[in-house]
Amino acid sequence: MIPAAFEYVRAGSAAEAISLIGEHGEEAKFLAGGHSLLPLMKLRLASPSVLVDIGRVGDLSYIRDAGDHIAIGALTRHMDVETSALLQEHVPLLAHAAGHVGDPQVRHRGTMGGTIAHADPASDLPATTLALGATYVATGPNGSREIAAADFYQGFLESALEPDEMLTEIRVPKMNGAGWSFQKFNRRAQDWAIVGVAAWRGAAGSGVALVNMGSTPVLATSVSAALAGGASVSDAAQLAASEAEPQSDLNASTEYRTHLAKVLVRRALEQASA
Amino acid sequence: MTVTDDRPAAVLGTRMLRREDPALLTGEAKYTNDLALPGALSLALARSPYAHARILSVDLSAALAAPGVVAAYAGADLSSLWAAPMPCAWPVTADMKNPAHYPVAIGKAAYVGDAVAVVLATSESAARDAVELIDVQYEPLPAVVDLEDALSDRVVIHDELGTNKSYTWDLKIEDHEGAIDEAFASAAHVVKERYVQQRLLPMAMEPRAVAAVPQPFGGDITLYSSTQVPHILKIMSAITLGIPEHQVRVTTPAVGGGFGSKLNVYAEELLCLALARKHKVPVRWNEERTENAVATIHGRGQIQHMELAADAAGKITAVRVRILGDMGAYLQLVTPGIPLLGAFLYAGVYDIPLYDFSCTSVFTTLTPTDAYRGAGRPEATYAIERAVDTLARQMGIDPMELRKRNFIKKEQFPYTAMTGLVYDSGNHLAAAEKAAGLADYEGVRARQATQNVPGATTLLGIGQASYFEMCGLAPSRVLASLNYSAGGWEAATVRVLPTNKIQVVTGTAPHGQGHETSWSMIVADKLGVSPDDIDVLHSDTAIAPLGLDTYGSRSLPVGGVAIAMACDKVIDKAKKIAAHQLEANEDDLEFSGGTFTVKGSPGKTMPLAAIAFEAFTAHNLPDGLEPNLEAHVTYDPPNFSWPFGTHICTVEVDTETGQVTVLQYVAVDDCGNQVNPLIVEGQVHGGVIQGLAQALFEEAVYDDDGNLKNASLAEYLVPAASDVPGLTLGFTVTPSPTNQLGVKGIGEAGTIGAAPAVINAVVDALSSLGITNMPMPASPHTVWNAIQHAQNGASK
Ligand SMILES: Cc1cc2nc3c(=O)[nH]c(=O)nc-3n(C[C@H](O)[C@H](O)[C@H](O)COP(=O)(O)OP(=O)(O)OC[C@H]3O[C@@H](n4cnc5c(N)ncnc54)[C@H](O)[C@@H]3O)c2cc1C
């Protein structure tokens, strides 16, 4: 449980962080809440030679009303997302899902930017923001660009971020009163989901995304298309795993995961449609 | 009468807060790894990544060249340090096979985690970095993971033994053999089931930690270790290392849980001792969590074949048990004896005339198993309680009713079982009825009838387990008949200091049980002093040289009773002094509330405080009486103690996902008189959760190559507070007639009752689907698979 030796630098601002990452190159990594990166380092599954600590970049911790969407700074902690009155009003699915990440200690340390950038298919908020049609803002040496959540996740722990880019903001469309549900199936409250479902349904249609059903968070587009075409909730739910390539692990076989996804999507849509 | 004491009206039986807790909660308590040891070297071990491999070569050169490294050794380099192989203190049969086992493997590694080389460096990180530089060449050999495969000797793990079978131990009772066959042949009902006791990781919150500190002159050495057994460790390390026993002192700082996993003599303890002596500096080692998962013993690991014969009325007439036990790669301290600790309990709480038990144990290429909370007894209770439920289902009668027909009756105690053991006291019907009341057993059955209709996706189930536990692990003579190499006594000293403060020296070694609190309560009650005036000294062989430590729910019924007896001796001596000073006849003195009074002369009194000072000054003692007020007792109890109870669990099963939700858990336990109900309840809480964890959450999962797949707390599912139900506790009180406190052990009872109660409830919920058995842990996936299997079977 002792990581390999590394250098440590602390950035005071986003601009400084980006220039430090540029300076140190491929072997450098941002350190935000550290709750994904440090466990990997302690198990020696990751050994970056330089850590650029962005934990104290204060100008990136905010939740703002930006008209049709809510803008969330990358360093906003899960606990702040969970308890934000603005999010509870306009994007209740995200606030609720944030309350299901790990345990209180994890939620006080882990950041919105960290969990998105880490791109873990088993994490709750990548799939939730994907279901909601969020946009992520990446900032690099040459300025900022927007990446749609649907284009962001490229493989297991792989995202569209360039090595010299920092994720700076998450933009989540307001839900405008749509019904929603977050289903997290696990064996212990503090654990990652064996399968999870984030879903909403309203005037604008529906969005369903799956947690831990493949190498990336999965947008269940077939389900939404079926609903748009007038299918019943239970018929649509049968399509839950159409886009997924679920793996087999200690908690669930591929077959069981597929089955769970169907059950949980049905339950989520029933709740979101109620 | 002048009363000088200010203790509460009664101390025994009150919910006194634990005196241990402030230091533990504030971080003032020091654990082994907190010790500041200037100049200490850190030990780190290279461990085999293969379950079974020949070690072709060990190249230490890169590690030796690494910064901070002082020394590095392969197994063969250390041979001269060992006077004997690592100890196994329980050769259960004369022909038991026991491979030579050294702290660092020589020639062959026999499980993933087996040490193959060690490094000593100036810091822990330097030592661990250097371990990564050790180059070991292996020739991988096939792993042996499955017990039946092991028994086949397809692959023999220890070449010198020629077989993987360690022993077969039979509990065959004269005259029973033919009668058993007859009973099964003529039975109206026969149950024949196979259960698997999965391997469990003990996962004490504090992993192990060791520090050996040599005295530069004179040759003495002090071993600090996070252990449950400082006394046994002292003797065994003296033997294994060939150090004169009087030069070894073992002491335990605070110990963060053990559950049996620290009832052992481990390679790292011997290595720290040996290398500290060799290098003449302190050597310490601190276990990592994932290292703990492979290098610390595992629990359970049995396949049980359980058979019951019953007559038409459901009266059980015979039990036949065949066990296949998983020893792991080597025999640790008491590995082979664990199944024997359950061998007598496969008849459970029932009056069963015929009994036949046999256990065969095998080596596998996995981490050694050994004692884990309950050790043998939860396994036995699981088998009989699951089988009784099956019998009830086969007969179409309520399992509670079937149990009542078979319980040993209150009037039958003390009850001599067919195994020859005498059960001291019990009242199973009372415990079962109390539990049924608390659980609203009839109400749940009624709800079940309306809820579990065809097509329902949330099924209700209720399950029961009634248990008898054999604990205390004494008398010594009975342990001898089981070939155990030590006794079962416990030592106590009670010393009244000149100012009437009291030192209690105990041979028990608490690691979370609250002995300091409970022992002070016993003494307070006996001597009429405030518990605050009593200090309890323990877990340091220099302070408490005699003792047999803490395991097997033995501390109170053996160690606590020894303390009460030492108090009696103190009172006897004090009485002589009081009689002398009061010029009264000893027989005319009464001792109460800390004061001697001459019967019939209330004015003639002498408090213990005055006697203590008289004993110290020795100015005016009776002729021939030694100064000072102190007594020592070594107590070897006449019998085990036999706690019992009934647990009832109510569950709901979501048949769409397989998720089991515990709706209610009722535990009614009887541990005789309770010294401190708060501590009793804490033991039951922890025990029940640990048993429930075996039923629903925990399992050491191995792949076919013998790799442990869930070696971290992220994957090995120890349930947290949010994952377990609130518990409803009830107690009946049936004092033990064999000790003066009337107490029985309670440390393991919860674990013993819980697993069968939970699984009986799960099977009960699913029985309408045709499900009759359920592997542990009943994870959602496992339950879902069973449902799929039952439904596919039904549709065929
Ligand atoms: C015990 C435990 C339980 C957990 N349970 C859950 C759970 O149930 N559900 C769940 O979803 N998560 C869970 N997590 C993960 C938690 O949510 C993490 O905090 C989160 O995934 C990562 O956020 P972080 O700020 O800690 O990122 P870090 O660990 O600091 O970083 C993660 C990765 O992202 C990179 N990174 C971080 N910030 C940025 C940025 N702004 N721009 C570019 N790259 C960046 C880092 O370089 C690193 O590669 C758990 C973690 C723990 C320790």
Side-chain angles (χ1 to χ4, degrees):
Chain A
M1 293 292 150
I2 295 175
F6 57 87
E7 298 284 316
Y8 171 91
V9 286
R10 183 187 293 157
S13 68
E16 190 187 351
I18 292 160
S19 92
L20 282 170
I21 274 283
E23 204 175 294
H24 291 287
E26 294 267 329
E27 289 306 298
K29 280 229 161 246
F30 291 119
L31 175 70
H35 269 46
S36 291
L37 184 55
L38 295 184
L40 291 177
M41 290 171 61
K42 287 183 172 185
L43 293 168
R44 299 200 173 192
L45 296 173
S47 15
S49 50
V50 182
L51 287 187
V52 177
D53 187 353
I54 55 174
R56 301 194 195 183
V57 176
D59 54 359
L60 285 184
S61 179
Y62 57 81
I63 300 172
R64 282 188 207 124
D65 191 331
D68 62 345
H69 68 271
I70 304 291
I72 305 170
L75 277 158
T76 309
R77 311 275 169 181
H78 302 322
M79 188 60 79
D80 295 323
V81 172
E82 177 187 355
T83 54
S84 153
L86 204 56
L87 284 170
Q88 284 168 354
E89 184 185 347
H90 295 292
V91 198
L93 170 57
L94 180 61
H96 178 86
H100 283 79
V101 173
D103 54 37
Q105 281 161 296
V106 173
R107 297 198 287 277
H108 274 107
R109 294 298 305 164
T111 66
M112 195 69 198
T115 191
I116 301 296
H118 195 55
D120 187 339
S123 287
D124 299 307
L125 305 186
T128 304
T129 51
L130 180 61
L132 288 164
T135 303
Y136 310 139
V137 179
T139 308
N142 310 317
S144 294
R145 62 180 179 125
E146 286 197 348
I147 310 171
D151 300 328
F152 185 79
Y153 301 102
Q154 308 204 323
F156 184 68
L157 306 186
E158 270 177 43
S159 77
L161 281 180
E162 296 297 332
D164 60 355
E165 278 182 323
M166 179 173 168
L167 188 66
T168 44
E169 190 173 276
I170 292 93
R171 296 177 180 167
V172 197
K174 291 183 177 172
M175 293 175 65
N176 300 320
W180 56 273
S181 175
F182 184 71
Q183 300 280 330
K184 182 168 179 174
F185 190 80
N186 56 14
R187 291 176 66 187
R188 296 182 304 182
Q190 81 224 33
D191 285 330
W192 273 269
I194 296 172
V195 175
V197 175
W200 61 270
R201 196 178 184 195
S206 69
V208 179
L210 309 176
V211 180
N212 213 5
M213 281 293 288
S215 56
T216 64
V218 174
L219 196 59
T221 49
S222 303
V223 174
S224 293
L227 289 175
S232 70
V233 160
S234 47
D235 287 346
Q238 285 304 313
L239 305 172
S242 306
E243 288 76 22
E245 286 176 10
Q247 70 286 11
S248 212
D249 61 24
L250 285 183
N251 285 315
S253 65
T254 299
E255 185 197 6
Y256 179 53
R257 271 213 163 78
T258 304
H259 167 80
L260 279 179
K262 292 177 186 172
V263 173
L264 297 176
V265 165
R266 193 196 76 225
R267 289 179 182 179
L269 289 175
E270 281 166 0
Q271 200 178 358
S273 310
Chain B
M1 173 173 141
T2 47
V3 178
T4 51
D5 81 70
D6 55 356
R7 74 191 171 114
V11 180
L12 270 194
T14 63
R15 307 174 67 83
M16 211 169 89
L17 291 182
R18 298 191 345 151
R19 60 163 63 178
E20 291 86 347
D21 288 342
L24 291 168
L25 292 173
T26 56
E28 183 186 297
K30 292 276 174 281
Y31 294 82
T32 299
N33 198 39
D34 294 327
L35 299 175
L37 298 172
L41 296 177
S42 282
L43 176 86
L45 297 96
R47 298 185 182 278
S48 171
Y50 295 104
H52 190 194
R54 227 173 283 290
I55 301 165
L56 302 177
S57 63
V58 180
D59 181 353
L60 301 166
S61 54
L64 282 166
V69 172
V70 172
Y73 303 100
D77 306 332
L78 299 171
S79 304
S80 64
L81 299 179
W82 318 126
M86 287 177 53
C88 170
W90 205 336
V92 294
T93 60
D95 62 353
M96 181 186 84
K97 299 222 164 30
N98 178 18
H101 178 199
Y102 290 96
V104 180
I106 304 165
K108 206 174 187 191
Y111 64 97
V112 171
D114 208 355
V116 294
V118 298
V119 169
L120 284 183
T122 49
S123 73
E124 190 180 352
S125 33
R128 293 208 177 262
D129 282 343
V131 160
E132 305 229 317
L133 302 173
I134 296 175
D135 183 13
V136 184
Q137 295 297 318
Y138 295 95
E139 177 196 341
L141 300 167
V144 181
V145 178
D146 178 83
L147 301 191
E148 275 139 3
D149 183 35
L151 192 60
S152 79
D153 283 337
R154 179 185 61 90
V155 175
V156 172
I157 301 161
H158 300 290
D159 308 319
E160 70 279 17
L161 303 183
T163 174
N164 294 326
K165 185 174 128 178
S166 178
Y167 67 86
T168 293
W169 186 90
D170 296 321
L171 180 68
K172 292 244 167 67
I173 296 155
E174 276 171 55
D175 315 336
H176 279 206
E177 268 181 60
I180 294 252
D181 293 341
E182 171 63 19
F184 275 94
S186 62
H189 305 279
V190 171
V191 170
K192 217 174 161 167
E193 300 221 310
R194 177 181 187 271
Y195 306 120
V196 176
Q197 297 289 330
Q198 77 271 35
R199 270 180 177 252
L200 300 174
L201 309 184
M203 283 288 182
M205 281 299 107
E206 184 207 12
R208 290 185 294 126
V210 183
V213 181
Q215 268 71 62
F217 304 102
D220 288 1
I221 188 158
T222 299
L223 180 68
Y224 299 89
S225 184
S226 179
T227 182
Q228 296 172 231
V229 289
H231 297 93
I232 294 174
L233 182 56
K234 182 195 69 165
I235 299 164
M236 291 301 179
S237 49
I239 294 171
T240 311
L241 295 167
I243 313 175
E245 186 185 339
H246 64 287
Q247 293 191 313
V248 186
R249 171 184 168 207
V250 177
T251 176
T252 77
V255 177
F259 312 113
S261 73
K262 296 174 183 171
L263 190 194
N264 228 306
V265 176
Y266 279 107
E268 296 83 358
E269 289 164 328
L270 300 170
L271 282 164
C272 285
L273 277 171
L275 293 171
R277 274 161 52 93
K278 183 175 166 79
H279 288 265
K280 302 188 167 50
V281 287
V283 172
R284 71 192 310 167
W285 171 75
N286 189 38
E287 189 177 48
E288 293 188 335
R289 176 58 63 190
T290 46
E291 191 176 25
N292 174 271
V294 296
T296 288
I297 63 95
H298 293 179
R300 315 279 188 259
Q302 287 185 2
I303 295 173
Q304 305 167 300
H305 294 275
M306 182 73 186
E307 295 178 50
L308 296 182
D311 68 17
K315 183 87 186 60
I316 304 168
T317 53
V319 183
R320 189 189 283 141
V321 189
R322 295 291 177 269
I323 303 292
L324 189 53
D326 181 357
M327 305 285 91
Y330 301 103
L331 303 181
Q332 282 278 351
L333 189 64
V334 293
T335 304
I338 301 307
L340 275 58
L341 289 172
F344 300 88
L345 291 181
Y346 281 82
V349 291
Y350 309 111
D351 187 16
I352 302 176
L354 296 168
Y355 198 79
D356 174 7
F357 173 96
S358 174
C359 172
T360 295
S361 287
V362 292
F363 294 105
T364 54
T365 57
L366 307 177
T367 297
T369 60
D370 207 313
Y372 175 65
R373 202 169 191 170
R377 291 150 291 162
E379 295 91 318
T381 304
Y382 183 87
I384 179 68
E385 288 305 286
R386 290 280 302 111
V388 165
D389 258 38
T390 301
L391 176 62
R393 199 173 314 105
Q394 281 180 17
M395 295 180 61
I397 63 172
D398 188 276
M400 175 75 82
E401 167 57 26
L402 180 68
R403 284 183 171 83
K404 288 181 182 172
R405 288 184 200 174
N406 284 284
F407 280 150
I408 300 167
K409 295 188 179 49
K410 188 173 129 208
E411 313 79 70
Q412 291 174 275
F413 289 99
Y415 174 90
T416 303
M418 61 283 151
T419 56
L421 292 178
V422 179
Y423 303 168
D424 59 0
S425 62
N427 190 349
H428 302 305
L429 185 63
E433 285 182 338
K434 182 157 192 175
L438 289 171
D440 185 22
Y441 188 84
E442 296 303 329
V444 175
R445 285 277 179 233
R447 263 164 58 207
Q448 200 176 25
T450 54
Q451 184 172 337
N452 293 8
V453 293
T457 54
T458 308
L459 298 178
L460 185 63
I462 187 162
Q464 170 185 358
S466 296
Y467 73 89
F468 229 149
E469 190 205 346
M470 159 187 161
C471 71
L473 303 191
S476 302
R477 283 180 182 182
V478 175
L479 297 179
S481 71
L482 295 173
N483 286 336
Y484 181 58
S485 311
W489 49 263
E490 194 46 82
T493 300
V494 172
R495 184 179 297 139
V496 186
L497 302 177
T499 57
N500 202 32
K501 305 296 179 195
I502 294 171
Q503 281 180 333
V504 178
V505 182
T506 178
T508 66
H511 44 283
Q513 295 85 349
H515 293 177
E516 293 178 17
T517 303
S518 298
W519 294 184
S520 74
M521 291 170 78
I522 293 170
V523 175
D525 192 75
K526 278 279 185 186
L527 299 185
V529 297
S530 162
D532 294 341
D533 290 338
I534 300 164
D535 194 18
V536 178
L537 304 173
H538 59 83
S539 307
D540 181 341
T541 61
I543 292 172
L546 293 175
L548 284 171
D549 308 316
T550 287
Y551 43 84
S553 303
R554 70 185 299 275
S555 296
L556 177 60
V558 191
V561 172
I563 288 167
M565 294 168 73
C567 289
D568 289 339
K569 273 188 155 177
V570 163
I571 294 167
D572 281 350
K573 181 168 180 181
K575 188 184 255 183
K576 290 194 168 63
I577 299 171
H580 177 73
Q581 300 241 338
L582 294 169
E583 296 178 338
N585 192 320
E586 265 185 65
D587 297 339
D588 293 336
L589 289 183
E590 250 172 12
F591 183 65
S592 158
T595 298
F596 286 96
T597 309
V598 181
K599 280 181 218 161
S601 320
K604 287 183 83 178
T605 66
M606 188 165 186
L608 193 63
I611 299 168
F613 202 72
E614 288 293 340
F616 164 70
T617 64
H619 291 174
N620 183 16
L621 297 180
D623 287 345
L625 198 73
E626 286 179 18
N628 287 317
L629 196 48
E630 158 176 332
H632 176 78
V633 163
T634 304
Y635 171 58
D636 198 350
N639 192 354
F640 294 90
S641 88
W642 300 87
F644 62 92
T646 288
H647 291 197
I648 297 181
C649 177
T650 311
V651 301
E652 251 174 17
V653 183
D654 177 342
T655 59
E656 288 192 299
T657 62
Q659 183 94 294
V660 174
T661 306
V662 177
L663 299 181
Q664 190 192 39
Y665 194 100
V666 171
V668 172
D669 296 282
D670 192 323
C671 55
N673 293 331
Q674 299 186 6
V675 171
N676 183 332
L678 191 69
I679 289 180
V680 170
E681 287 164 25
Q683 289 293 322
V684 175
H685 280 141
V688 166
I689 298 310
Q690 223 158 349
L692 184 138
Q694 176 175 12
L696 297 179
F697 291 96
E698 298 184 13
E699 176 177 26
V701 181
Y702 279 94
D703 67 14
D704 293 344
D705 296 325
N707 298 302
L708 181 63
K709 303 303 285 178
N710 51 353
S712 83
L713 280 168
E715 291 133 343
Y716 187 83
L717 304 182
V718 178
S722 44
D723 309 308
V724 295
L727 307 176
T728 305
L729 304 191
F731 294 93
T732 58
V733 177
T734 310
S736 168
T738 63
N739 66 66
Q740 62 158 282
L741 296 176
V743 295
K744 304 180 173 189
I746 193 63
E748 295 157 301
T751 320
I752 291 171
V758 173
I759 296 297
N760 279 343
V762 173
V763 173
D764 182 59
L766 297 173
S767 62
S768 60
L769 305 178
I771 287 172
T772 58
N773 208 346
M774 182 61 65
M776 296 190 287
S779 71
H781 196 357
T782 297
V783 173
W784 183 76
N785 278 345
I787 294 170
Q788 295 308 106
H789 199 261
Q791 286 173 346
N792 295 343
S795 65
K796 265 178 205 153

